[in-house]
Amino acid sequence: MRLGQLAAMMTTLVLWSALSSLLGAQQTLAISAEKIYVGDGTIIEKGVIIVSGGKILAIGPGSQIEIPRGTRRLRVRGSVTPGFIDAAADALLGASKDEQSSEVTPEGRAIDGLDFGSLLMKRLAREGVTTVYATAGNSAVITAQGATVKTGTGDVQNRILTRDGAPKLVLISGPERGNARPRNPAGISDFTRLPLGRMGGIFVARSALGQAKDRLRIAKAGGKVAKNAAFDVLGEVLSGKRRMRVLARRQNEVSTASRLAKEFGFSYVIEQGNEAYKNIRELKRDHAAVIYGPMRSSSPSMAGVSRQLRRFFTDPNLNKILSTPRVLIDAKIPTALTAGGNTGEYGLARQAMLAMRCGLSRAEALAAVTTVPAQLLGVQDRVGTLKVGRDADLIVWSGEPLDATSIQSHVFIGGRRVAGKVF
């Protein structure tokens, strides 16, 4: 075969594949299941979902839904749930996590460092995580704005839900880790980088927030302030246009977040929050939310998690940490679960299963990876629940969702199958 003929054939195949994918996303599909978990607590027995053009066209009991002629059918004995949402996936940015030239970089945007074609994006999609919030890392004091995107593959622009999310205030030890100590009496030199300790990091944050507050005061009084991208973003946080993310694990870190919020007048969402069960009063007073997790051990295998769970019944401190989602939900604090963008044994489905073993009901665990994160991200009108007009992001399970014996037989994003056997 000549080279020109081969090139023409390859071009034809590529065009045909693209056209088939496009038609596949637009073709009408009816999914029948024993149970459909809508996401708002409603369960539809022997239900049907009709998907067309990437959206949910109809949903309800099979006896009440009329399926159009020529519609593809997928009949399953198990159940259907909304696609999962990881609201704090810091693993997605990889080596592009933080800008190192400054400790305060809220003007940066995670969307500019995302690799939409990464293997991790595809793995997340195959595991039923259909939407993620790409959040920055922890090596700066105030880091870049996050972004909410769809996983899987496809046109990048159509996968972006929000571009300019919240900047993140880091209160764990990340910002000072690895920084050199002053080598000379004069203090800071070219070989050092602020902050050098926990209090230094909070000082840097307070200074930045103070300058942003002063700029707002001057502007409100009719004065002129020089344009500054970083302080403009922090000004939007202080004026209530954005909600600050705060990376905090220990009780003292959550308490610091509460003090800063009260001092500067901003609202916040805690990421990780391992010891947030000790801060219930502060979190309720501040109307804060928590994106809890991931639950993990130092071991790279599930054996490490199993050891944690065995200790769960004998170690009071670990018991309380793993029970944090139960305590937060009982206190009516909005609580989502996160795997940090991890997959496999530490993936989001596993996090929800572990949360169930540590006190959550199935409905609460599902809400913590669907409806609650959708609301926290402000994308509840598109994802998080299975309702007419919402994106057709859903998981088909072989049995009850999150059961140890259930598998995700199919995953759809925008009505397009990204995992599962051809039917």
Side-chain angles (χ1 to χ4, degrees):
M1 184 180 292
R2 294 181 181 178
L3 184 60
Q5 290 176 319
L6 179 60
M9 182 179 293
M10 292 299 296
T11 301
T12 302
L13 287 173
V14 170
L15 291 174
W16 176 253
S17 175
L19 180 61
S20 298
S21 297
L22 180 61
L23 291 174
Q26 294 176 343
Q27 188 175 358
T28 303
L29 168 67
I31 304 174
S32 304
E34 290 296 313
K35 290 183 181 180
I36 297 176
Y37 290 80
V38 175
D40 59 0
T42 304
I43 301 176
I44 302 173
E45 301 283 349
K46 298 188 182 303
V48 173
I49 303 176
I50 298 181
V51 174
S52 182
K55 300 287 185 178
I56 297 175
L57 188 64
I59 181 171
S63 58
Q64 300 177 12
I65 299 294
E66 183 178 350
I67 300 175
R69 280 188 182 179
T71 299
R72 287 189 305 163
R73 298 289 298 268
L74 174 60
R75 298 180 178 87
V76 296
R77 296 181 179 179
S79 56
V80 179
T81 66
F84 288 170
I85 303 170
D86 193 329
D90 61 344
L92 280 169
L93 289 178
S96 304
K97 284 187 177 181
D98 300 311
E99 174 57 45
Q100 297 294 307
S101 61
S102 173
E103 293 78 32
V104 180
T105 58
E107 70 277 22
R109 302 194 310 171
I111 194 74
D112 299 324
L114 276 179
D115 180 3
F116 282 83
S118 69
L119 183 60
L120 179 56
M121 282 279 196
K122 299 174 185 176
R123 284 176 175 170
L124 286 166
R126 289 197 296 268
E127 294 187 9
V129 182
T130 57
T131 302
V132 290
Y133 180 83
T135 183
N138 60 19
S139 59
V141 176
I142 301 180
T143 65
Q145 307 157 49
T148 309
V149 302
K150 296 287 190 77
T151 59
T153 59
D155 181 69
V156 170
Q157 297 306 316
N158 291 334
R159 291 167 58 188
I160 299 173
L161 302 184
T162 61
R163 299 171 183 271
D164 305 317
K168 183 161 69 177
L169 171 61
V170 179
L171 296 181
I172 66 171
S173 60
E176 72 261 20
R177 188 179 300 139
N179 294 349
R181 303 297 177 186
R183 300 183 183 182
N184 53 60
I188 304 303
S189 73
D190 291 339
F191 300 100
T192 63
R193 177 181 181 271
L194 283 171
L196 302 180
R198 187 72 59 89
M199 289 183 290
I202 296 170
F203 169 76
V204 170
R206 183 173 273 112
S207 297
L209 292 168
Q211 291 182 64
K213 187 174 183 179
D214 289 342
R215 287 166 57 87
L216 286 177
R217 177 178 51 80
I218 294 171
K220 188 175 181 179
K224 292 185 177 180
V225 292
K227 186 164 182 62
N228 183 293
F231 291 135
D232 289 344
V233 173
L234 292 181
E236 292 182 358
V237 171
L238 299 184
S239 60
K241 295 179 181 178
R242 303 189 193 215
R243 199 176 189 186
M244 181 77 87
R245 288 288 185 108
V246 181
L247 179 55
R249 295 172 182 156
R250 299 178 179 177
Q251 177 186 18
N252 64 308
E253 295 164 354
V254 178
S255 293
T256 298
S258 180
R259 285 195 300 273
L260 290 173
K262 184 177 181 180
E263 179 179 349
F264 293 99
F266 62 82
S267 60
Y268 63 94
V269 176
I270 295 291
E271 287 186 8
Q272 299 192 8
N274 303 67
E275 292 185 352
Y277 68 91
K278 299 178 180 179
N279 304 89
I280 297 299
R281 182 176 297 179
E282 294 162 303
L283 293 170
K284 286 181 67 68
R285 181 195 64 204
D286 298 340
H287 303 287
V290 177
I291 303 171
Y292 176 82
M295 301 184 201
R296 61 159 66 101
S297 72
S298 58
S299 171
S301 69
M302 273 309 298
V305 177
S306 298
R307 285 194 293 272
Q308 271 199 328
L309 289 171
R310 285 197 297 271
R311 289 176 55 206
F312 172 76
F313 299 100
T314 57
D315 186 331
N317 291 325
L318 185 61
N319 184 308
K320 291 177 181 178
I321 289 175
L322 294 180
S323 297
T324 295
R326 174 74 275 156
V327 176
L328 293 171
I329 291 173
D330 285 343
K332 301 189 183 310
I333 294 171
T335 304
L337 296 174
T338 179
N342 293 305
T343 59
E345 293 177 345
Y346 291 128
L348 194 55
R350 180 67 67 177
Q351 295 294 314
M353 293 170 69
L354 291 173
M356 286 179 62
R357 292 187 67 178
C358 297
L360 296 195
S361 67
R362 189 189 314 278
E364 290 168 333
L366 283 173
V369 293
T370 55
T371 54
V372 176
Q375 291 165 359
L376 293 179
L377 298 176
V379 293
Q380 66 272 20
D381 59 335
R382 290 193 58 180
V383 298
T385 52
L386 300 179
K387 295 185 177 181
V388 174
R390 303 285 166 85
D391 293 359
D393 298 353
L394 47 92
I395 306 170
V396 178
W397 301 79
S398 62
E400 288 288 335
L402 302 179
D403 273 0
T405 56
S406 292
I407 63 170
Q408 298 175 345
S409 59
H410 294 83
V411 178
F412 295 87
I413 300 179
R416 180 177 296 151
R417 183 181 57 83
V418 296
K421 297 178 181 180
V422 177
F423 51 91

